[in-house]
Amino acid sequence: MTRLVKSPKDVATGLLLIALAAFFAWQALDLPMGRAIRMGPGYFPMILAGILALLGLVIVASGIALPMGDDESPIDIARWPWRALALVTLAVVIFGIGIRPLGLGPSMGIAVFLSALASQKFHFLTGLVSALVMVAFSWAVFIKGLGLPLPMLGPWLGGY
């Protein structure tokens, strides 16, 4: 039997990446683009959206083929890692909401720890060490290296 879709999971993932790329490109349309020699604030997000869309197309193309055996089943939503998906999404939301009131350090630490908690092989000490290393790394790169005006502790924790 011949089917057009070899891997429904790859096609669904590729289409999701393309949709995300389109959303981010649409959000970046209001920003001035500039040129490669003098980039505007919309240049880098648009380039990243293009790369994401290209990767999505590659994944969709890899999921489409002519012959197919019975080794691949349709997408089974019940087998999705819902806990991991929820924890990683929560980590991103907490980082975005908490960066101003909590500061870079606590927001980054909580986000990394929650992301580590999403793993099935989670160990408390490993998650804690990962969070501390990422906080130190982000401090060194963004505050010391790039000189961004980000407080390590926000006003809720006595910073500023």
Side-chain angles (χ1 to χ4, degrees), residues 8-26 45-63 75 80 85:
K9 293 176 187 176
D10 287 347
V11 172
T13 301
L15 291 175
L16 177 66
L17 290 177
I18 292 170
L20 281 172
F23 175 75
F24 290 127
W26 174 61
M46 193 62 77
I47 294 295
L48 287 180
I51 291 171
L52 185 63
L54 183 66
L55 290 174
L57 276 172
V58 168
I59 292 173
V60 167
S62 72
I75 297 174
W80 282 13
L85 185 62

Short mmCIF file of all heavy atoms in Angstrom, two decimals, residues 8-26 45-63 75 80 85:
data_model
loop_
_atom_site.label_atom_id
_atom_site.label_comp_id
_atom_site.label_asym_id
_atom_site.label_seq_id
_atom_site.Cartn_x
_atom_site.Cartn_y
_atom_site.Cartn_z
N PRO A 8 3.55 10.78 10.22
CA PRO A 8 2.64 11.85 10.62
C PRO A 8 3.22 12.77 11.70
O PRO A 8 2.93 13.96 11.73
CB PRO A 8 1.40 11.12 11.14
CG PRO A 8 1.49 9.75 10.60
CD PRO A 8 2.94 9.46 10.38
N LYS A 9 4.05 12.20 12.57
CA LYS A 9 4.66 13.01 13.63
C LYS A 9 5.60 14.05 13.03
O LYS A 9 5.62 15.21 13.47
CB LYS A 9 5.43 12.12 14.60
CG LYS A 9 4.54 11.19 15.40
CD LYS A 9 5.37 10.27 16.25
CE LYS A 9 4.48 9.24 16.92
NZ LYS A 9 5.26 8.27 17.68
N ASP A 10 6.40 13.67 12.05
CA ASP A 10 7.31 14.62 11.41
C ASP A 10 6.53 15.71 10.67
O ASP A 10 6.89 16.88 10.73
CB ASP A 10 8.25 13.90 10.43
CG ASP A 10 9.31 13.11 11.14
OD1 ASP A 10 9.48 13.30 12.36
OD2 ASP A 10 9.98 12.30 10.47
N VAL A 11 5.48 15.33 9.99
CA VAL A 11 4.68 16.32 9.26
C VAL A 11 4.03 17.30 10.23
O VAL A 11 4.06 18.51 10.02
CB VAL A 11 3.62 15.62 8.37
CG1 VAL A 11 2.67 16.62 7.76
CG2 VAL A 11 4.31 14.82 7.27
N ALA A 12 3.47 16.78 11.32
CA ALA A 12 2.83 17.66 12.31
C ALA A 12 3.86 18.59 12.96
O ALA A 12 3.60 19.79 13.14
CB ALA A 12 2.12 16.83 13.37
N THR A 13 5.04 18.06 13.29
CA THR A 13 6.08 18.89 13.89
C THR A 13 6.56 19.96 12.93
O THR A 13 6.73 21.12 13.31
CB THR A 13 7.27 18.00 14.32
OG1 THR A 13 6.79 17.03 15.25
CG2 THR A 13 8.36 18.82 14.96
N GLY A 14 6.78 19.59 11.67
CA GLY A 14 7.22 20.56 10.67
C GLY A 14 6.20 21.66 10.45
O GLY A 14 6.55 22.84 10.35
N LEU A 15 4.92 21.28 10.40
CA LEU A 15 3.87 22.29 10.23
C LEU A 15 3.78 23.21 11.44
O LEU A 15 3.54 24.42 11.29
CB LEU A 15 2.53 21.61 9.96
CG LEU A 15 2.42 20.90 8.61
CD1 LEU A 15 1.09 20.16 8.51
CD2 LEU A 15 2.58 21.88 7.47
N LEU A 16 4.00 22.67 12.63
CA LEU A 16 4.00 23.50 13.84
C LEU A 16 5.15 24.50 13.79
O LEU A 16 4.98 25.68 14.12
CB LEU A 16 4.10 22.63 15.08
CG LEU A 16 4.18 23.38 16.41
CD1 LEU A 16 2.89 24.13 16.69
CD2 LEU A 16 4.48 22.42 17.55
N LEU A 17 6.34 24.05 13.37
CA LEU A 17 7.49 24.95 13.27
C LEU A 17 7.24 26.04 12.22
O LEU A 17 7.60 27.21 12.44
CB LEU A 17 8.75 24.17 12.93
CG LEU A 17 9.30 23.28 14.04
CD1 LEU A 17 10.50 22.50 13.54
CD2 LEU A 17 9.65 24.09 15.26
N ILE A 18 6.63 25.68 11.11
CA ILE A 18 6.32 26.67 10.08
C ILE A 18 5.31 27.69 10.60
O ILE A 18 5.43 28.89 10.36
CB ILE A 18 5.82 25.98 8.80
CG1 ILE A 18 6.97 25.19 8.16
CG2 ILE A 18 5.25 26.98 7.81
CD1 ILE A 18 6.53 24.27 7.04
N ALA A 19 4.30 27.22 11.35
CA ALA A 19 3.30 28.13 11.92
C ALA A 19 3.95 29.08 12.93
O ALA A 19 3.65 30.27 12.96
CB ALA A 19 2.17 27.34 12.56
N LEU A 20 4.84 28.56 13.77
CA LEU A 20 5.54 29.41 14.73
C LEU A 20 6.42 30.44 14.01
O LEU A 20 6.47 31.60 14.41
CB LEU A 20 6.41 28.57 15.67
CG LEU A 20 5.68 27.87 16.80
CD1 LEU A 20 6.62 26.92 17.53
CD2 LEU A 20 5.11 28.88 17.76
N ALA A 21 7.09 30.02 12.96
CA ALA A 21 7.93 30.94 12.19
C ALA A 21 7.08 32.04 11.57
O ALA A 21 7.47 33.22 11.57
CB ALA A 21 8.70 30.18 11.11
N ALA A 22 5.92 31.67 11.04
CA ALA A 22 5.03 32.68 10.45
C ALA A 22 4.54 33.66 11.50
O ALA A 22 4.47 34.88 11.25
CB ALA A 22 3.85 31.99 9.77
N PHE A 23 4.23 33.17 12.70
CA PHE A 23 3.78 34.05 13.78
C PHE A 23 4.89 35.02 14.18
O PHE A 23 4.65 36.22 14.32
CB PHE A 23 3.34 33.22 14.99
CG PHE A 23 2.98 34.06 16.18
CD1 PHE A 23 1.79 34.76 16.22
CD2 PHE A 23 3.83 34.14 17.26
CE1 PHE A 23 1.45 35.54 17.31
CE2 PHE A 23 3.51 34.91 18.37
CZ PHE A 23 2.32 35.62 18.39
N PHE A 24 6.12 34.52 14.35
CA PHE A 24 7.22 35.39 14.75
C PHE A 24 7.57 36.38 13.65
O PHE A 24 7.90 37.54 13.93
CB PHE A 24 8.44 34.58 15.17
CG PHE A 24 8.24 33.86 16.48
CD1 PHE A 24 8.48 32.50 16.57
CD2 PHE A 24 7.80 34.53 17.60
CE1 PHE A 24 8.30 31.83 17.77
CE2 PHE A 24 7.61 33.87 18.81
CZ PHE A 24 7.86 32.51 18.88
N ALA A 25 7.51 35.96 12.40
CA ALA A 25 7.77 36.88 11.28
C ALA A 25 6.69 37.96 11.24
O ALA A 25 6.99 39.14 11.01
CB ALA A 25 7.82 36.11 9.97
N TRP A 26 5.45 37.58 11.49
CA TRP A 26 4.35 38.56 11.50
C TRP A 26 4.55 39.58 12.63
O TRP A 26 4.32 40.77 12.44
CB TRP A 26 3.03 37.81 11.66
CG TRP A 26 1.84 38.69 11.83
CD1 TRP A 26 1.35 39.62 10.97
CD2 TRP A 26 0.98 38.72 12.97
NE1 TRP A 26 0.24 40.22 11.50
CE2 TRP A 26 -0.01 39.68 12.73
CE3 TRP A 26 0.95 38.02 14.17
CZ2 TRP A 26 -1.02 39.96 13.63
CZ3 TRP A 26 -0.05 38.29 15.07
CH2 TRP A 26 -1.02 39.26 14.79
N PRO A 45 15.17 38.90 14.32
CA PRO A 45 13.99 38.04 14.45
C PRO A 45 13.48 37.51 13.12
O PRO A 45 13.04 36.37 13.02
CB PRO A 45 12.94 38.94 15.11
CG PRO A 45 13.71 39.99 15.80
CD PRO A 45 14.95 40.20 14.99
N MET A 46 13.58 38.33 12.07
CA MET A 46 13.11 37.88 10.76
C MET A 46 14.02 36.79 10.20
O MET A 46 13.55 35.81 9.62
CB MET A 46 13.04 39.06 9.79
CG MET A 46 12.27 38.74 8.54
SD MET A 46 10.54 38.33 8.83
CE MET A 46 9.85 39.94 9.11
N ILE A 47 15.33 36.92 10.41
CA ILE A 47 16.27 35.89 9.96
C ILE A 47 16.01 34.58 10.71
O ILE A 47 15.98 33.50 10.12
CB ILE A 47 17.73 36.35 10.16
CG1 ILE A 47 18.04 37.54 9.25
CG2 ILE A 47 18.71 35.21 9.93
CD1 ILE A 47 18.00 37.22 7.78
N LEU A 48 15.81 34.68 12.03
CA LEU A 48 15.53 33.47 12.82
C LEU A 48 14.21 32.83 12.40
O LEU A 48 14.10 31.60 12.35
CB LEU A 48 15.51 33.80 14.30
CG LEU A 48 16.86 34.08 14.95
CD1 LEU A 48 16.68 34.40 16.42
CD2 LEU A 48 17.80 32.93 14.77
N ALA A 49 13.20 33.64 12.10
CA ALA A 49 11.92 33.09 11.64
C ALA A 49 12.10 32.37 10.30
O ALA A 49 11.51 31.31 10.07
CB ALA A 49 10.88 34.20 11.52
N GLY A 50 12.92 32.94 9.43
CA GLY A 50 13.19 32.28 8.15
C GLY A 50 13.90 30.96 8.33
O GLY A 50 13.58 29.96 7.65
N ILE A 51 14.89 30.91 9.21
CA ILE A 51 15.61 29.66 9.47
C ILE A 51 14.67 28.62 10.08
O ILE A 51 14.70 27.44 9.71
CB ILE A 51 16.82 29.92 10.39
CG1 ILE A 51 17.88 30.74 9.64
CG2 ILE A 51 17.42 28.62 10.89
CD1 ILE A 51 19.01 31.23 10.52
N LEU A 52 13.80 29.05 11.01
CA LEU A 52 12.84 28.14 11.62
C LEU A 52 11.88 27.58 10.58
O LEU A 52 11.57 26.38 10.58
CB LEU A 52 12.08 28.84 12.75
CG LEU A 52 11.13 27.99 13.57
CD1 LEU A 52 11.88 26.90 14.31
CD2 LEU A 52 10.38 28.87 14.56
N ALA A 53 11.41 28.42 9.67
CA ALA A 53 10.51 27.96 8.61
C ALA A 53 11.22 26.98 7.68
O ALA A 53 10.64 25.97 7.26
CB ALA A 53 9.98 29.15 7.82
N LEU A 54 12.48 27.26 7.37
CA LEU A 54 13.25 26.36 6.52
C LEU A 54 13.43 24.99 7.18
O LEU A 54 13.26 23.95 6.54
CB LEU A 54 14.60 26.98 6.19
CG LEU A 54 15.50 26.19 5.25
CD1 LEU A 54 14.87 26.11 3.87
CD2 LEU A 54 16.86 26.84 5.16
N LEU A 55 13.75 24.99 8.47
CA LEU A 55 13.86 23.72 9.19
C LEU A 55 12.52 22.99 9.23
O LEU A 55 12.48 21.76 9.12
CB LEU A 55 14.38 23.96 10.60
CG LEU A 55 15.84 24.39 10.71
CD1 LEU A 55 16.18 24.73 12.15
CD2 LEU A 55 16.76 23.31 10.19
N GLY A 56 11.44 23.73 9.39
CA GLY A 56 10.11 23.11 9.36
C GLY A 56 9.81 22.47 8.02
O GLY A 56 9.26 21.37 7.95
N LEU A 57 10.22 23.14 6.93
CA LEU A 57 10.02 22.56 5.60
C LEU A 57 10.83 21.29 5.42
O LEU A 57 10.35 20.31 4.83
CB LEU A 57 10.43 23.58 4.53
CG LEU A 57 9.38 24.60 4.14
CD1 LEU A 57 9.96 25.65 3.22
CD2 LEU A 57 8.20 23.92 3.49
N VAL A 58 12.06 21.28 5.93
CA VAL A 58 12.89 20.08 5.84
C VAL A 58 12.25 18.92 6.59
O VAL A 58 12.21 17.78 6.11
CB VAL A 58 14.32 20.37 6.36
CG1 VAL A 58 15.12 19.09 6.54
CG2 VAL A 58 15.04 21.32 5.43
N ILE A 59 11.70 19.21 7.77
CA ILE A 59 11.07 18.16 8.57
C ILE A 59 9.80 17.65 7.90
O ILE A 59 9.54 16.44 7.88
CB ILE A 59 10.81 18.66 10.00
CG1 ILE A 59 12.14 18.88 10.71
CG2 ILE A 59 9.94 17.68 10.78
CD1 ILE A 59 12.02 19.54 12.06
N VAL A 60 9.01 18.57 7.32
CA VAL A 60 7.81 18.14 6.59
C VAL A 60 8.20 17.26 5.41
O VAL A 60 7.60 16.22 5.16
CB VAL A 60 6.97 19.35 6.12
CG1 VAL A 60 5.93 18.94 5.11
CG2 VAL A 60 6.30 20.01 7.30
N ALA A 61 9.23 17.67 4.68
CA ALA A 61 9.68 16.90 3.52
C ALA A 61 10.18 15.53 3.93
O ALA A 61 9.97 14.55 3.20
CB ALA A 61 10.76 17.67 2.77
N SER A 62 10.83 15.43 5.08
CA SER A 62 11.31 14.12 5.52
C SER A 62 10.16 13.21 5.97
O SER A 62 10.31 11.99 5.98
CB SER A 62 12.33 14.26 6.65
OG SER A 62 11.69 14.66 7.84
N GLY A 63 9.04 13.78 6.32
CA GLY A 63 7.89 12.99 6.74
C GLY A 63 6.98 12.57 5.61
O GLY A 63 6.05 11.80 5.80
N ILE A 75 -0.66 9.78 14.70
CA ILE A 75 -0.33 10.51 15.92
C ILE A 75 -1.27 10.08 17.04
O ILE A 75 -2.48 10.10 16.89
CB ILE A 75 -0.44 12.03 15.68
CG1 ILE A 75 0.57 12.45 14.63
CG2 ILE A 75 -0.23 12.78 16.97
CD1 ILE A 75 0.45 13.90 14.23
N TRP A 80 1.70 11.58 24.17
CA TRP A 80 2.54 12.78 24.21
C TRP A 80 3.04 13.02 25.63
O TRP A 80 2.34 12.75 26.61
CB TRP A 80 1.76 14.00 23.75
CG TRP A 80 1.59 14.08 22.26
CD1 TRP A 80 1.83 13.11 21.35
CD2 TRP A 80 1.14 15.22 21.54
NE1 TRP A 80 1.55 13.57 20.10
CE2 TRP A 80 1.12 14.87 20.17
CE3 TRP A 80 0.75 16.49 21.90
CZ2 TRP A 80 0.74 15.74 19.18
CZ3 TRP A 80 0.37 17.37 20.90
CH2 TRP A 80 0.36 16.99 19.57
N LEU A 85 5.85 18.90 28.41
CA LEU A 85 5.39 20.03 27.60
C LEU A 85 4.87 21.16 28.48
O LEU A 85 5.19 22.34 28.26
CB LEU A 85 4.30 19.56 26.63
CG LEU A 85 3.77 20.54 25.62
CD1 LEU A 85 4.89 20.98 24.68
CD2 LEU A 85 2.64 19.93 24.83
#
